[in-house]
Amino acid sequence: MITLISIALLSLSLADSWPSPVYVSDEPHLTVVASQPKVITFRGGNATLPCRLDRDIEDAFGGSTMRIKWTKLSPDFSKEIDVLVSMGFHKKMYNGYNGRVHLQESDENDASLVFTEVRLEDVGKYKCEVIDGMDDATDVVSLELTGVVFPYSPRLGRYNLNYHDAEAACLEQDSVVANFDQLYEAWKGGFDWCNAGWLNDGSVQYPITTPRGPCGGNNTVPGLRNYGLRDKTKSRYDVFCFTSNFKGRFYYLNNGFNMTKFTYDEAAQACENDGSQIAKVGQMFAAWKLLGFDRCDAGWLADGSVRYPISNPRRRCSPTEAAVRFIGFPDKKHKLFGVYCFQAFD
Ligand SMILES: *[C@@H]1O[C@H](CO)[C@@H](O)[C@H](O)[C@H]1NC(C)=O
Ligand SMILES: *[C@@H]1O[C@H](CO)[C@@H](O)[C@H](O)[C@H]1NC(C)=O
Ligand SMILES: *[C@@H]1O[C@H](CO)[C@@H](O)[C@H](O)[C@H]1NC(C)=O
């Protein structure tokens, strides 16, 4: 009796484990190869995630029963999100992918996935899976975007965002919560920030290039300081957001002829009168990092903060480094600043 129960348990756990047991023979009948581990594009661009299959000729029954399935792995790899499933002529796209993805199918062994109009949230790892009878083969490709990582805390001040607030905060700034690879790349590029922020896997980290007392200690090595996975509801930190190229025009506006400055409300109105919107923080970072935008005038942004982007460091602007300078969240009634506007194209 006891033996029977343990066998039942064993088979249950086998069925639950992943990858599922596959057809066993001397050689694999089917293999799947992504010729590149990652593909890099930009927001609004196209991308082809490569995936080729290789199968025994005698084993291929015309491919009529073969199923190609693309899924996206969640940031912590705990889940798979359906993207596309194809069986012969039948194709189904899921979630927000409908109309934006298709199979390349340049020949019968091409299972590559073509993306159009890539979005910020498309970044991640995608699994190409081919199932043919008893055979099942997979490979994984990363989709990455060129862009910029920036730290964000709201008017409330430092360490006020739980994970869900952090997601909303980035979204409001035309960005998404950054992933580990994006923060790591930014750190390699010299990004140093001594406040901890959420990443999209639910961990909290911060990048240090110049070790110092309050940022993990004097005698530590440069790197990403990692607080580990935090409670997404109860823990409160800042956030690292990621954004990429935009389709639009980012520009500074002051009060035309007489050069007077704006209150926040006047600033927002001035952009609207100009056929635009008051710009978001992510748009300023994208303009600065990706377009080399440089302007030594402090201006309002949509979240009520005042900043200015400097690409060419100089006296009285940002003498030591190219940076987006942060003035703060002034009283919205203060008539002290210009404004940055954003006009979306399309
Ligand atoms: C993406 O592909 C579509 C259709 O193939 C094409 O019309 C469009 O110009 C491409 N976009 C970019 C940014 O290359
Ligand atoms: C780090 O260095 C600074 C300046 O050298 C010193 O004042 C501080 O006490 C040091 N902190 C630690 C934790 O060693
Ligand atoms: C400057 O512009 C503002 C807003 O249009 C206006 O209210 C103000 O009277 C102008 N000041 C002068 C000196 O023209």
Side-chain angles (χ1 to χ4, degrees), residues 42 44-46 116:
F42 50 90
N46 299 334
T116 55

Side-chain angles (χ1 to χ4, degrees), residues 236-265:
R236 291 183 178 270
Y237 293 95
D238 293 346
V239 59
F240 291 101
C241 304
F242 174 84
T243 192
S244 180
N245 307 52
F246 53 63
K247 275 193 202 157
R249 183 166 75 98
F250 176 89
Y251 61 101
Y252 177 78
L253 191 68
N254 59 23
N255 200 355
F257 305 108
N258 68 22
M259 305 287 276
T260 54
K261 305 292 186 180
F262 301 118
T263 64
Y264 176 84
D265 288 345

